[in-house]
Amino acid sequence: MSGQWKEVVRLAFKGSRFRDHALDLTAITELSRFQKIVAETAKAHWRIAHPDRERLPKRFEERTRLCLRRIEEGSAVAPLEVFIEEPEQEELFEQQATEIKEAIEQVHQVFQAVEKNELLPDNFPKALVSDYEQLGQGLADDETIEVVPVGKEPTHITPSTRSHLATFAEVGYADHIDITGEVLEADVRQGRFQVWLDEKTGVTVTFSQEQESEVTTALRDHQTIRIQIIGSGEFSPQGKPLRITQVEKLQLLDVGEITYDNTARPIEDILAELASEIPEEDWNKLPSDLTDHLDHYLYGTPKR
């Protein structure tokens, strides 16, 4: 496979344990944790940018896979690289490197904010706080991990910065929400109702007087009606929706109703994407007369 290795970030382990540029198994675990938060951050940002797509692009995980090919001095520096195919096509290289660069930049911003005792970036996927909080778990009090993206100043991970980040993991957060569920109880006077996403997950919703009709209809006909709510809500540290504080849109849906989404991708684009994931050698194995004798190849019926 043609291509090239491209360094995107360095993790420098500081402390007496890492003298003579030695990394013990605990440090190797930290590299694994770093890989996880980078990969999950890249996925989260891609899904936010492509809300209409369910599947990640072809080879997305390969393009966000960090590799360690050497250890350098000072005390122990781990230069992490990604493998980029087709290096002769500069525009393709830039496209493939975008996800990993943006994810590493996000990681750098998060730990920089924690180090400076500032708020986390607005675009940070807060459901990942608990994953970030685990980085540096094996560090002693006198040890540090420096995160140095290419072209950036280092930010530092220490036991104290981890403790600060842990406070974010212990509290909920607010974010955009889009859910559909069953209304089983409502308090018109208080302007609140419960929407149940499943048998165990109920979310409290605050609604206005103008939205009362939809809410009471959903409650009355709850066996045949579901309600879709789009707005802003509060989440648990683990990303579970707790309550909706502002409703931007309410929509009643019949059970089993298939709604038309004007923003949905054309089916031919989805089929083309699925087809692109099948290796060329597998396409070549298909019979040349497959479309003419489909029943024969599927069910064994004689050719006509």
Side-chain angles (χ1 to χ4, degrees):
M1 181 185 299
S2 63
Q4 67 175 356
W5 290 98
K6 183 72 174 180
E7 182 179 320
V8 288
V9 65
R10 289 184 169 220
L11 297 190
F13 293 79
K14 305 289 187 177
S16 59
R17 180 159 60 106
F18 308 113
R19 63 182 179 273
D20 298 327
H21 49 282
L23 288 179
D24 62 15
L25 291 181
T26 303
I28 299 299
T29 301
E30 298 296 352
L31 292 176
S32 178
R33 291 185 178 122
F34 186 80
Q35 165 67 81
K36 179 181 179 181
I37 64 174
V38 168
E40 292 303 317
T41 300
K43 292 177 185 177
H45 280 289
W46 186 90
R47 290 186 174 113
I48 291 172
H50 304 85
D52 58 325
R53 298 178 62 180
E54 296 182 2
R55 302 181 62 176
L56 294 170
K58 185 179 180 181
R59 296 182 178 176
F60 186 90
E61 293 187 356
E62 293 179 26
R63 300 202 299 265
T64 56
R65 182 180 300 142
L66 296 167
C67 296
L68 175 66
R69 299 196 300 146
R70 66 188 186 278
I71 299 175
E72 299 180 355
E73 297 183 5
S75 296
V77 177
L80 302 181
E81 303 171 293
V82 291
F83 185 77
I84 306 296
E85 296 183 41
E86 305 292 344
E88 66 276 7
Q89 301 182 32
E90 186 63 26
E91 68 281 0
L92 179 60
F93 162 73
E94 291 299 331
Q95 179 182 3
Q96 291 189 337
T98 298
E99 300 105 347
I100 191 73
K101 288 179 179 178
E102 291 179 350
I104 289 173
E105 174 65 20
Q106 178 83 98
V107 174
H108 184 261
Q109 291 173 350
V110 168
F111 284 105
Q112 191 173 60
V114 173
E115 187 177 9
K116 295 180 179 181
N117 198 26
E118 298 175 347
L119 295 176
L120 298 183
D122 291 338
N123 64 337
F124 172 57
K126 298 179 179 61
L128 299 180
V129 168
S130 59
D131 290 328
Y132 275 65
E133 189 266 335
Q134 293 180 34
L135 186 61
Q137 203 169 46
L139 293 176
D141 291 341
D142 61 343
E143 295 174 344
T144 303
I145 301 176
E146 285 186 354
V147 179
V148 192
V150 173
K152 299 288 185 179
E153 294 295 321
T155 188
H156 304 85
I157 301 170
T158 65
S160 61
T161 57
R162 278 197 65 249
S163 298
H164 187 186
L165 186 57
T167 61
F168 289 98
E170 295 169 358
V171 298
Y173 60 92
D175 206 348
H176 176 78
I177 194 168
D178 182 347
I179 59 174
T180 300
E182 181 180 5
V183 177
L184 294 179
E185 52 187 288
D187 187 333
V188 175
R189 178 171 296 179
Q190 297 294 328
R192 291 194 298 265
F193 70 93
Q194 283 274 334
V195 57
W196 289 84
L197 310 184
D198 53 45
E199 293 182 354
K200 297 181 179 179
T201 308
V203 181
T204 301
V205 185
T206 302
F207 65 93
S208 66
Q209 185 175 0
E210 291 75 16
Q211 297 160 340
E212 180 180 320
S213 176
E214 287 92 341
V215 173
T216 54
T217 299
L219 175 62
R220 183 193 64 204
D221 301 330
H222 68 89
Q223 293 183 334
T224 57
I225 292 290
R226 296 294 178 267
I227 192 167
Q228 180 187 22
I229 308 139
I230 300 175
S232 302
E234 297 177 1
F235 295 77
S236 73
Q238 294 74 35
K240 179 181 178 181
L242 300 176
R243 61 186 62 85
I244 298 178
T245 54
Q246 181 177 356
V247 176
E248 299 172 3
K249 179 182 178 181
L250 285 179
Q251 183 176 2
L252 301 183
L253 306 173
D254 290 335
V255 174
E257 176 184 350
I258 300 176
T259 58
Y260 179 74
D261 185 357
N262 290 320
T263 65
R265 296 172 63 208
I267 185 63
E268 58 268 24
D269 290 353
I270 297 174
L271 293 175
E273 180 182 326
L274 294 175
S276 68
E277 297 177 3
I278 300 176
E280 186 66 28
E281 54 268 25
D282 289 340
W283 281 117
N284 295 334
K285 295 176 183 178
L286 295 175
S288 59
D289 60 348
L290 176 62
T291 55
D292 296 328
H293 303 287
L294 186 61
D295 287 346
H296 169 73
Y297 291 107
L298 289 179
Y299 310 114
T301 58
K303 292 185 179 181
R304 293 179 292 176

